[in-house]
Amino acid sequence: MRLVIAAVGTPRDAALAAAIAEYETRAARYWPLEIVEVREGSAKGRTVDDTRQREAEHLRAAIGDMPYVACTEDGVARTSAAFATWLQGLRERARDVALCLGGAYGLDRTFIAGAEGRVSLAPFTMPHELARLVLTEQVYRAGTIVRGEPYHK
């Protein structure tokens, strides 16, 4: 099983970038983790839908034909323990999967429709950099839960 976190854009805020990098490093101790960052679509002279569509094309090119899960606010909300169980199930089936995060405007509707599933990181909207931090922390937390380590209290 290979777990790919595919994100539109790179973190611009230095503090968030450092926190994301820290949790990516921690999570990689538990899961065969790969991070893929794709270029943000320029919104200059384009509609929001056009920008989302371009970003979706970048994501598709980056993950190829790998099954993917879209991170959306209306996705399946899981507790940390349920998320850990879900990831462990993927590992047991030796199933590669990409967890995809959109850019500032979210993910393209067609891209979401093509996803194998959707997961919600929170019932509210958050900046995409913060969403990436939440996702990477939860992937790390899932690893500690699966191994029965004390991080998840």
Side-chain angles (χ1 to χ4, degrees), residues 61-122:
I63 63 173
D65 61 354
M66 177 183 292
Y68 64 94
V69 174
C71 295
T72 64
E73 66 184 347
D74 63 343
V76 176
R78 291 181 174 93
T79 63
S80 294
F83 185 73
T85 300
W86 175 73
L87 277 181
Q88 182 61 19
L90 292 173
R91 172 182 273 165
E92 289 169 359
R93 292 189 306 274
R95 183 110 191 267
D96 291 349
V97 68
L99 301 174
C100 296
L101 289 162
Y105 300 114
L107 290 169
D108 176 67
R109 282 175 292 186
T110 305
F111 185 82
I112 294 169
E116 183 169 288
R118 292 177 300 170
V119 65
S120 173
L121 302 175

Side-chain angles (χ1 to χ4, degrees), residues 1-16:
M1 174 241 194
R2 181 172 52 130
L3 180 62
V4 174
I5 295 178
V8 172
T10 58
R12 292 183 184 135
D13 180 279
L16 281 176

Side-chain angles (χ1 to χ4, degrees), residues 31 33-34 36 39 53 56 58 80 84 94 101 106 110 112 120 147:
W31 312 99
L33 185 65
E34 181 180 333
V36 174
R39 192 173 38 123
Q53 186 177 22
H58 296 306
S80 294
L101 289 162
T110 305
I112 294 169
S120 173
R147 287 198 189 160

